[in-house]
């Protein structure tokens, strides 16, 4: 089954040209199926690029997915056209009475700020609480994951002396986890962040389990059973050239930047990078969608009223 998105959303043509199955609202209405409702709270400045990346991953399963794009109610982006935001995004305050099978909360380039100094922190805390009554499973990505694990468990983000930047090998710490079905013992994941969380803080909480971790860049994927959430601090969703775009941007602007680790062939930034994480990215998000499908209630109104635990 395809992912349901507006036919005039830029991702519709991008994913169609890639062979990803997409359908318009009119097509979806002709199918007598209850789609899996997934919301994307997009905090990244490059909204359209991020839409494409996550729609590509959640649209690759056999299930019909209905994607809703959400923005913070008062915050206004300066990097995406206002017309695009007005046409395709709904402010959180407009959707807060609705229920969703899944929610993805993206990262945001505000790592240097204490959480409480973020202009939309109060509303984001409201969203975190809302997930416990209106969302069956939440996926926090990079800064979004760090914000959630801090809010729910007090796990601090730590500033790094040097940016983690490149492609790092990660170990499969929980082969029996349903979220890691089909995973190899090791996998490569793009990393781009100035902050970290410490494994010993995660280990202090029995509700948290680290599923993927790297000896070089620490914990990556953490399951939070109590809050029906996954937190991933790195970027399976990245395109092949996303790290290259970051490197080229900084190099062109005169910002000191190291060549991303283990990314360009022979560490030569003039050569095209190879994507070595795509298959595991599809596995992870496909497994997440599968777990939602198998554990969510058919009646959306009952989300938040029935069992609060996803299967271990």
């Amino acid at each position: 089954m395809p992912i349901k998105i507006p036919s005039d959303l830029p991702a519709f043509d991008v994913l169609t040209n890639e062979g990803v199955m997409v359908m318009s609202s009119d097509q979806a209405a002709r199918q007598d199926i209850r789609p899996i409702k997934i919301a994307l709270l997009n905090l990244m400045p490059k909204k359209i690029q991020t839409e494409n990346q996550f729609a590509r991953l959640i649209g690759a399963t056999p299930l019909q997915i209905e994607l809703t794009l959400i923005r913070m109610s008062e915050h206004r982006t300066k990097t995406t056209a206002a017309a695009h935001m007005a046409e395709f995004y709904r402010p959180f305050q407009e959707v807060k009475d609705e229920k969703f099978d899944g929610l993805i909360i993206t990262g945001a380039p505000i790592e240097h700020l204490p959480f409480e100094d973020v202009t939309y922190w109060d509303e984001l805390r409201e969203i975190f609480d809302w997930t416990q009554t209106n969302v069956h499973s939440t996926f926090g990505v990079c800064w979004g994951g760090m914000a959630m694990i801090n809010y729910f468990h007090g796990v601090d983000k730590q500033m790094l002396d040097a940016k983690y930047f490149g492609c790092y090998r990660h170990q499969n710490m929980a082969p029996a986890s349903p979220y890691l079905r089909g995973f190899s013992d090791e996998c490569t994941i793009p990393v781009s962040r100035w902050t970290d969380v410490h494994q010993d803080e995660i280990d202090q909480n029995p509700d948290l389990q680290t599923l993927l971790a790297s000896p070089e860049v620490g914990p990556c994927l953490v399951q939070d059973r109590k809050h029906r959430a996954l937190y991933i601090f790195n970027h399976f969703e990245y395109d092949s050239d996303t790290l290259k775009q970051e490197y080229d941007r900084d190099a062109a602007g005169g910002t000191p930047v190291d060549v991303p680790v283990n990314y360009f062939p022979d560490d030569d930034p003039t050569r095209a990078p190879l994507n070595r994480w795509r298959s595991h990215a599809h596995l992870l998000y496909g497994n997440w969608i599968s777990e939602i499908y198998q554990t969510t209630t058919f009646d959306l109104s009952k989300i938040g009223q029935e069992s609060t635990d996803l299967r271990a």
Side-chain angles (χ1 to χ4, degrees):
M1 292 291 177
I3 181 172
K4 173 189 168 186
I5 54 178
S7 58
D8 47 352
L9 185 73
F12 192 97
D13 289 337
V14 171
L15 300 186
T16 298
N17 291 335
E18 293 179 3
V20 177
M21 294 180 66
V22 295
M23 67 162 44
S24 66
S25 298
D26 290 341
Q27 291 173 297
R30 291 195 291 269
Q31 293 191 334
D32 187 17
I33 293 173
R34 197 271 277 158
I36 301 296
K37 292 189 63 175
I38 304 293
L40 175 67
L41 177 61
N42 191 352
L43 305 176
M44 291 295 287
K46 294 185 176 181
K47 304 292 186 193
I48 295 175
Q49 181 185 62
T50 303
E51 295 158 17
N52 292 344
Q53 290 171 345
F54 284 106
R56 177 182 297 118
L57 292 174
I58 66 174
T61 76
L63 303 173
Q64 182 179 313
I65 306 295
E66 178 180 323
L67 181 64
T68 299
L69 301 176
I70 300 176
R71 63 171 175 84
M72 307 306 294
S73 299
E74 299 302 326
H75 181 74
R76 294 293 184 267
T77 181
K78 299 178 181 178
T79 55
T80 302
H84 181 87
M85 299 300 296
E87 183 171 1
F88 299 113
Y89 280 78
R90 300 172 65 191
F92 168 68
Q93 297 301 326
E94 184 181 297
V95 304
K96 63 187 297 184
D97 292 331
E98 298 180 22
K99 297 199 174 186
F100 295 88
D101 299 295
L103 169 70
I104 298 171
I105 301 177
T106 73
I110 48 177
E111 294 176 284
H112 62 289
L113 292 175
F115 291 122
E116 59 272 15
D117 288 350
V118 175
T119 57
Y120 48 78
W121 181 242
D122 287 345
E123 186 177 32
L124 193 57
R125 291 167 56 203
E126 181 184 357
I127 292 172
F128 293 160
D129 288 334
W130 171 80
T131 65
Q132 300 307 287
T133 57
N134 289 62
V135 179
H136 183 62
S137 179
T138 306
F139 209 143
V141 180
C142 200
W143 183 87
M146 290 188 180
M148 288 191 72
I149 201 172
N150 175 265
Y151 180 71
F152 285 129
H153 299 285
V155 176
D156 293 326
K157 64 180 175 73
Q158 311 290 337
M159 291 300 301
L160 299 169
D161 294 330
K163 184 179 183 180
Y164 289 156
F165 190 41
C167 294
Y168 295 84
R169 296 192 69 81
H170 288 68
Q171 297 172 351
N172 183 341
M173 310 297 292
S177 169
Y179 298 106
L180 299 183
R181 288 193 185 101
F183 264 64
S184 306
D185 294 335
E186 291 186 334
C187 59
T188 297
I189 310 177
V191 182
S192 177
R193 52 183 164 88
W194 281 98
T195 52
D196 196 12
V197 295
H198 291 171
Q199 184 63 54
D200 58 351
E201 287 196 58
I202 295 172
D203 291 339
Q204 292 172 16
N205 194 309
D207 293 317
L208 300 176
Q209 180 187 14
T210 298
L211 307 183
L212 294 173
S214 164
E216 297 175 275
V217 296
C220 168
L221 179 65
V222 177
Q223 181 179 0
D224 181 351
R225 290 185 176 87
K226 181 178 180 180
H227 297 95
R228 307 185 312 280
L230 292 175
Y231 312 130
I232 188 167
F233 308 127
N234 303 327
H235 291 284
F236 263 136
E237 80 279 3
Y238 270 8
D239 297 323
S240 302
D241 64 348
T242 303
L243 290 179
K244 181 181 185 303
Q245 292 176 21
E246 295 183 19
Y247 173 78
D248 290 345
R249 176 201 63 202
D250 289 347
T255 302
V257 57
D258 293 329
V259 173
V261 173
N262 195 30
Y263 177 57
F264 295 109
D266 299 323
D267 293 327
D268 180 356
T270 66
R271 299 177 63 184
L274 299 177
N275 189 310
R276 288 172 289 124
W277 59 90
R278 183 183 295 116
S279 58
H280 282 102
H282 280 281
L283 271 176
L284 176 60
Y285 283 88
N287 287 340
W288 178 59
I289 295 293
S290 175
E291 282 303 293
I292 289 175
Y293 174 73
Q294 294 180 65
T295 59
T296 194
T297 173
F298 183 83
D299 184 350
L300 275 170
S301 68
K302 293 182 179 179
I303 287 178
Q305 300 176 15
E306 298 186 340
S307 173
T308 58
D309 290 324
L310 293 178
R311 297 181 313 173

